[in-house]
Every structure is written in structure tokens, then in C-alpha cells.
Amino acid sequence: MSFGISVSDFFALSQYAWTVYKSCRDAPEEFKAVSEELASMRAVLKGIEEVIKDADLSPDKIIDLSNISQECTSVLSDLENLVRRYSSLGTSSRRTWDRLKWGKEDTKEIRARLVSATTILTAFNSSLLHLSQNIILETLQQLMIEVQAGKKEGSVISTTNITLAEDGDDNIWHDIVKELGDAGIPEDVIEENREFITTWIKKAFDDGNWCEQSIASKPSTPMMTPMTSPPPSDALLARSSISGLAYRGPGLLDVHDQDFDTFEVVSATYGVSDVTEKIRQFCTTHLNPNTRSRSFIVGNVFFGKDPLCGFVKAFVLVWRMRSTSCEGRHSEHSVTKTLRTRESHPVLIDYKAVLPPFFPPSTSKNRIIILDASYFTMDVTATVAAIVDNIKLTRIAATNDMFDADPAPGQVKQLSVTYGYCMPEGRLSCQVRIVREGQLLTIPPLLIIQAANWGGVDITDTLRAQITPDQTLQLDTKLVQLPDPWYGVLKTLSIMYQYGDGRLQLLVSHDGSGIVSIDPEGPMRTQYFNPAGPRHEGMDVLAVIWGVMYEHPKPVSASQFDAIATKGEISCTNEWFGFDGLPNWQKTCQVFFQHGSSGKIYCSAGREGTKFRCFIDSEA
């Protein structure tokens, strides 16, 4: 090796750590605490020695190793000097040192540096271990592609030979090692990962991928066939744990071929962490027109965190393919697929999977579609979907009792649910939620702002953009960040909304009244609606608001609803309404109406003292 570091240098560094460790044993209590960190550092150093002694590291890895070694040498040298200073003191001086705690801050700083250096060493060691498995994965994938293309005649790798190798036939294993070695995997790496390799290849055979494939027999689904859930503990390929279609409703009956050309991550969870953006970044970074697939090892090193320290984590990825029109303005999606696996297992992402198109169902209670639900690596989609169909605000307990099984005894499990809201404009808005075992996972119904008006100005789109992932809306009416439509006047704020396909509701307030909110479990606001319901063809008057309906906690009269529906005009006066909806202020009249043909809801408004036409003559 070059770049100023060698294996012998690393052996010397480990020995240096041992020497400094021994010198701390007879030092004060502060040094004894530091010695524990030294022991941890030396253990990691010895582990790295075992990995690199016969390895051919890349230049980048050698530079990393050199930088880490310099930091370790620096902190060990400073600690050694501090111990030497203490050891050189006479008895009287030592008493003074101990009494005044002169070295306390020094040892505190050095201990923190030791912890930091050991953490970096541990991450580097893990990256070396995962690097060898990534090399194996990429080589096996290339071999599988060559087999499918009919370019590996005479291969000794077969189902029979793999089984014999698993049973301990060293002669067969020697032949397999030679073939894998010719493909570029070092022999020592093969031997260290024997079980990993045989399990991977056997799975490829079981799924029908390690065989020659003609164009005519090209599968119409991803190369790995679906597995039953939960997947076995030795499921190494993430594609091997792909579930069935995420939604099996009537919307998927009309399936046709579709050219989906872009891989899209819907959601990804690792333990109780949402790692969707991490996986999206990984896919985007490594994607090019010639890329068929990419792989990585599920683990704390890859994700840069340990969300459930001390327990095995599950990884769940929900994905789909996207087809973009030539104009680039319209996209269609395939059905979603789910892959589930455990920590330390490799994941193979297929960028070129062929999937059928997804058609949102014509009806779905609360407008929610459960795309995937996973309890650890167990598929519980059907169970969760059944609950959502029957409960407005869904609450799901992440427990073994809830799902009648324990998919990972002794481990802390997670419940992750990926779902989509069927939006009024037809698109599917996807979200993911994760909770730890023993907690409650909630899925709120979709909040739909049908129409909103502030002092005569339509603010529907503005409020829609402020809806939170929890499907709530909160406004501070004292800090309305909008152009003032009627300066110096107290303006009425009216919002017509509904949750899912539930009843329409109408919030009425005014600027300066404080914080108003809309929440799935908030009060029902239905007191101002037309009690007669739909009665007129083509147009229905749903509600009429005069001012803020001050001391008028009920709708306007039936005759007034009829007059507005019949004439389409309204006089904005207290005399016409028969009450003062906002005493001592100029008011607005807001009329909410619905087009019978499309079901769209609008709001028209007029100022006090005017007569205005309520309805929009034609739909936009």
C-alpha cells in the first residue's frame, strides 16, 4: 500500500494503543475511565487489521485509512504525554494534582477524542466488511445476466452442486470457487462469505433467474417472483420479498401493457426511521440510461444511524414505475410493489422492472388506499386495509395480538404503513407512517378544502397548500399573510371542507379572532347548511353566511334559500336577512353553491349595501 500508510504501520498503531492502555492502569481514576475507551479502540484496530492484511484497498480507502490513523496517533500521543507528566511528579506534587484535579479537563477532552476516533474506526471497519459483500453482489448479478443471455455454457454452478456445497462437498465447492474467482471475486473473500454466496445463488435458482431466458419468454413482472409473507430469515434478495399487488380492488381489472420507464421510490423505512429521501438519493445518484440494477447492504453504516439500538431492524421499500408522456407534463404509474428484508442483508433494486398500470378505484371510503402495511417483515396490508374501511380516524396497535403473529421473537418490531390519498383532481398523494412495537399508529382521513373565502377573496388554493400531513389546518387570524382585500374592515373567513366522503362542514370566523383549526376529531360544524338539501337541478345553494352570523347559530330561512336559488341574486343588507351578522362593521355575504353536474363547490361574495349575482354561469 502507499499514501504513507502500510499494514505494518497499522500493526504498530494497535501495539501503541496497547502500550498506552497499560500505562493508564496505575494512574488516577480519570485515567482508568479513559483506559476503557482505549480498550475499545484497540479491539476495533485489531478487527481492521484482520480485514486489510490481505486486502487490495482502493486509493480512496487508503486515504481514509491514513487520515484515521493520524487522528488515532495524535490522541494516543497526547494521552501518553499526559500520563507521563503525572508519573514524573513526586509524591507531594501528585497529592496536589489529585486534590486540585488539574488533569480532569485534559482527560475529559481526550476521552471525548477517543470516543470520536473509535466511532470513526468502527464505521470504517463496517464499510470494509460491506465493501466485500458489495463486490460479491455485483459479480453475482453480472454472472446471472450472462447466464440469462446464454453466455455461460459449461458452468459448474447448478442447483445440485450448490446443494452439495451447502452439505459440505469440498470438491464441488472448489470448482465453484474457481469459477467465481475467474469472474473476479478473490478466493479469500469467497471463503469468508461461503454461506452468503450459496444462499444467494440458491435463491436465484428457486426464483427461476439463474437460467437462460429467451425474448419470447421474458417475464411481465420483475425477475424475482413474489414470496409469501412473512419472508424467511435467510431472504437475502429484497426483490425476493416483493409482495403482491398493493391494491386488489376493481380498479385493477383492466390491466394492459404500459411502457413505464422510470423507477420511483414511494416510501422506505429502516426500523422506525423514514429513509425515503436517502433511498431516493441513492437511486438518483447511481442511475444512468445503462443501469439495470443497483444493490446495497441494509445496515446502520448505509443509513448513517441506528434507529433501534441493540435490535435487528427491518427494511421496507415500496416502489413503482412511472411513465412520462413525450410532452413531460403527464405521468402514469404502475402498481406499487413492496420489498422487505432484514438488517445486514443485501438489497437489489431493479430499475427496469415491468409492471402493470395502476388505476385508482372509483370509490374508496375516506379516499384512502393502503399501498403497503408491514409489521417487521410480515405483510399485514389486508388487515390494515380492512380497518381503514371501517373506521374514520384509523388507530392501529403495533402489537403481536393485533396481527396474530410474532414475526421476529425477541426483537423490537416496527409497524410501517404506506398509503395514498385519492385527491379530488385524480392523483394519488402518498405518505408513510411508522411506529415502534407497542405504540399506536394513526391514519387520518383526507381533509378536502372545497371552497374558502376571506372578505370576498377566494383563498381555497392557499389553504389547501397549508394542510399538514396529519390532515389538519391551523390559522392565526391575527396574522393572515395575504393581501388585505378590504382595508380597515373586519373580514369574514369561511371555509367549507369535509373529511374523506364525510359530511360537509363550514367553519366561520373573522380576522383578529385568534387561532382557528380544523382537525379530524374536532367539533362538527354543520349548523349553517341548507336543511332542505339538494332541491334544484343544475345548482344547489349549500350555505349562506351573512357577516359572521352573530347570534344567529342556525341557517338562513328556507324562503331565503329558495329566493337565492331561483333568482340567483341577493341583497346584502340587514333588512333582507332579518338580522345583523356583524354589528358595527361592514359585512360580506358569502354564498356556497354546488354545480349539480360536476359536484364542484364554489363561493361567491358581495359587500354590504350591494346586490350581486351569486352563481358562476359556467364551470372553468
Side-chain angles (χ1 to χ4, degrees):
M1 296 194 297
S2 57
F3 296 93
I5 186 76
S6 66
V7 173
S8 60
D9 293 332
F10 222 82
F11 284 134
L13 181 60
S14 177
Q15 184 58 44
Y16 185 26
W18 177 246
T19 300
V20 177
Y21 168 77
K22 290 190 295 182
S23 71
C24 290
R25 288 186 300 190
D26 298 325
E29 189 66 29
E30 286 80 3
F31 288 105
K32 291 180 180 179
V34 169
S35 68
E36 296 176 1
E37 306 300 343
L38 266 174
S40 298
M41 173 184 278
R42 185 170 183 271
V44 180
L45 287 170
K46 295 296 289 183
I48 293 177
E49 283 180 14
E50 291 297 318
V51 176
I52 68 173
K53 62 182 180 181
D54 299 316
D56 184 16
L57 299 182
S58 67
D60 287 343
K61 286 294 181 186
I62 295 174
I63 293 174
D64 290 342
L65 186 62
S66 178
N67 292 334
I68 295 171
S69 298
Q70 291 174 15
E71 174 59 27
C72 291
T73 301
S74 175
V75 67
L76 288 172
S77 177
D78 289 347
L79 177 56
E80 184 181 39
N81 290 334
L82 187 61
V83 174
R84 187 180 294 116
R85 282 171 53 197
Y86 175 81
S87 300
S88 66
L89 297 174
T91 303
S92 177
S93 298
R94 286 191 182 185
R95 290 195 187 113
T96 303
W97 174 294
D98 295 341
R99 186 175 69 253
L100 298 179
K101 304 293 184 182
W102 284 351
K104 187 173 183 179
E105 291 302 318
D106 291 331
T107 55
K108 182 179 180 181
E109 177 188 353
I110 285 180
R111 185 178 184 185
R113 289 172 59 193
L114 280 170
V115 171
S116 175
T118 304
T119 301
I120 295 172
L121 282 169
T122 302
F124 181 76
N125 188 36
S126 297
S127 70
L128 292 177
L129 295 173
H130 288 143
L131 180 63
S132 64
Q133 289 190 337
N134 278 328
I135 293 173
I136 294 172
L137 273 176
E138 292 182 0
T139 304
L140 290 174
Q141 292 166 25
Q142 184 57 42
L143 282 173
M144 186 169 64
I145 292 172
E146 292 178 7
V147 169
Q148 291 173 349
K151 298 179 181 179
K152 291 295 293 181
E153 293 183 6
S155 172
V156 299
I157 300 176
S158 64
T159 303
T160 301
N161 285 347
I162 289 295
T163 301
L164 291 172
E166 285 186 316
D167 293 339
D169 190 322
D170 290 334
N171 291 329
I172 293 296
W173 176 244
H174 179 269
D175 293 338
I176 293 174
V177 169
K178 184 177 185 307
E179 183 169 334
L180 295 176
D182 292 341
I185 306 177
E187 183 175 341
D188 60 327
V189 174
I190 298 173
E191 293 294 348
E192 290 173 4
N193 294 274
R194 178 169 179 168
E195 182 179 358
F196 177 91
I197 292 170
T198 55
T199 304
W200 196 101
I201 296 175
K202 187 174 182 180
K203 187 63 195 168
F205 273 113
D206 291 345
D207 291 334
N209 297 314
W210 201 282
C211 60
E212 185 174 345
Q213 296 183 2
S214 64
I215 296 177
S217 63
K218 180 181 177 181
S220 60
T221 55
M223 289 191 295
M224 291 295 174
T225 56
M227 289 179 59
T228 57
S229 295
S233 60
D234 63 350
L236 295 180
L237 283 179
R239 280 190 299 166
S240 71
S241 59
I242 290 174
S243 71
L245 299 181
Y247 182 80
R248 298 181 176 83
L252 290 180
L253 294 177
D254 182 19
V255 175
H256 60 270
D257 291 336
Q258 176 73 32
D259 184 17
F260 297 110
D261 52 15
T262 304
F263 181 92
E264 184 174 276
V265 176
V266 177
S267 69
T269 60
Y270 175 58
V272 291
S273 289
D274 182 349
V275 293
T276 304
E277 291 306 318
K278 169 71 175 178
I279 297 299
R280 284 175 179 166
Q281 183 182 15
F282 172 81
C283 293
T284 302
T285 302
H286 296 88
L287 185 61
N288 64 68
N290 298 318
T291 302
R292 169 75 199 191
S293 61
R294 291 295 300 183
S295 61
F296 63 91
I297 305 295
V298 173
N300 300 334
V301 172
F302 179 80
F303 291 111
K305 66 176 76 174
D306 188 347
L308 284 173
C309 188
F311 296 97
V312 175
K313 273 73 68 180
F315 173 70
V316 180
L317 172 65
V318 181
W319 58 279
R320 61 187 178 186
M321 301 300 291
R322 185 178 75 248
S323 175
T324 305
S325 67
C326 57
E327 294 84 3
R329 294 191 301 267
H330 179 67
S331 296
E332 293 185 21
H333 294 94
S334 72
V335 298
T336 56
K337 289 286 185 177
T338 301
L339 68 166
R340 308 177 183 90
T341 192
R342 299 183 179 210
E343 182 179 6
S344 80
H345 288 172
V347 167
L348 179 62
I349 296 177
D350 185 358
Y351 289 135
K352 305 295 183 182
V354 181
L355 299 174
F358 171 77
F359 298 96
S362 56
T363 59
S364 177
K365 190 168 185 178
N366 292 337
R367 297 178 180 264
I368 300 175
I369 297 176
I370 301 300
L371 301 173
D372 173 76
S374 298
Y375 185 50
F376 199 69
T377 56
M378 182 170 71
D379 184 0
V380 293
T381 306
T383 301
V384 172
I387 297 172
V388 171
D389 283 342
N390 295 294
I391 301 176
K392 187 175 182 182
L393 180 62
T394 305
R395 290 185 176 87
I396 309 161
T399 63
N400 298 335
D401 290 341
M402 178 69 202
F403 302 109
D404 295 325
D406 186 349
Q411 302 296 331
V412 173
K413 293 160 279 293
Q414 93 296 331
L415 172 63
S416 62
V417 179
T418 301
Y419 56 96
Y421 288 118
C422 296
M423 305 302 288
E425 64 270 24
R427 67 184 178 89
L428 194 66
S429 176
C430 299
Q431 297 187 23
V432 62
R433 294 191 171 219
I434 325 127
V435 296
R436 181 179 176 137
E437 182 180 3
Q439 297 178 333
L440 280 177
L441 185 146
T442 60
I443 302 176
L446 175 65
L447 172 57
I448 304 170
I449 304 295
Q450 295 288 8
N453 193 281
W454 179 54
V457 175
D458 188 334
I459 59 171
T460 306
D461 291 337
T462 301
L463 296 191
R464 285 173 178 169
Q466 297 181 31
I467 297 174
T468 70
D470 289 328
Q471 301 303 299
T472 64
L473 178 66
Q474 188 174 83
L475 296 172
D476 188 344
T477 59
K478 295 181 180 179
L479 299 171
V480 179
Q481 302 295 318
L482 291 170
D484 194 333
W486 202 355
Y487 185 75
V489 174
L490 206 62
K491 291 162 284 294
T492 300
L493 170 67
S494 296
I495 307 171
M496 184 167 288
Y497 65 97
Q498 67 185 127
Y499 276 104
D501 293 326
R503 294 179 63 183
L504 286 170
Q505 301 185 57
L506 182 58
L507 182 152
V508 178
S509 186
H510 60 79
D511 52 354
S513 61
I515 295 176
V516 296
S517 62
I518 297 174
D519 185 274
E521 296 190 305
M524 290 294 293
R525 301 181 174 109
T526 58
Q527 66 268 36
Y528 299 126
F529 284 90
N530 188 344
R535 292 187 298 173
H536 299 273
E537 282 191 23
M539 203 76 67
D540 281 316
V541 181
L542 301 176
V544 180
I545 302 301
W546 176 233
V548 294
M549 304 297 283
Y550 178 75
E551 293 188 349
H552 199 277
K554 58 183 180 180
V556 300
S557 68
S559 60
Q560 288 170 320
F561 274 115
D562 286 337
I564 295 171
T566 302
K567 299 178 181 179
E569 289 186 348
I570 188 169
S571 295
C572 301
T573 64
N574 290 336
E575 290 73 22
W576 192 88
F577 282 102
F579 64 94
D580 189 343
L582 187 59
N584 304 317
W585 288 95
Q586 287 185 286
K587 293 167 281 294
T588 53
C589 172
Q590 297 164 330
V591 179
F592 290 85
F593 59 95
Q594 184 173 31
H595 280 278
S597 57
S598 67
K600 289 184 178 179
I601 296 173
Y602 299 91
C603 179
S604 291
R607 295 181 178 181
E608 185 173 9
T610 66
K611 180 180 289 188
F612 78 101
R613 181 169 178 79
C614 305
F615 301 146
I616 297 174
D617 293 326
S618 60
E619 297 183 43

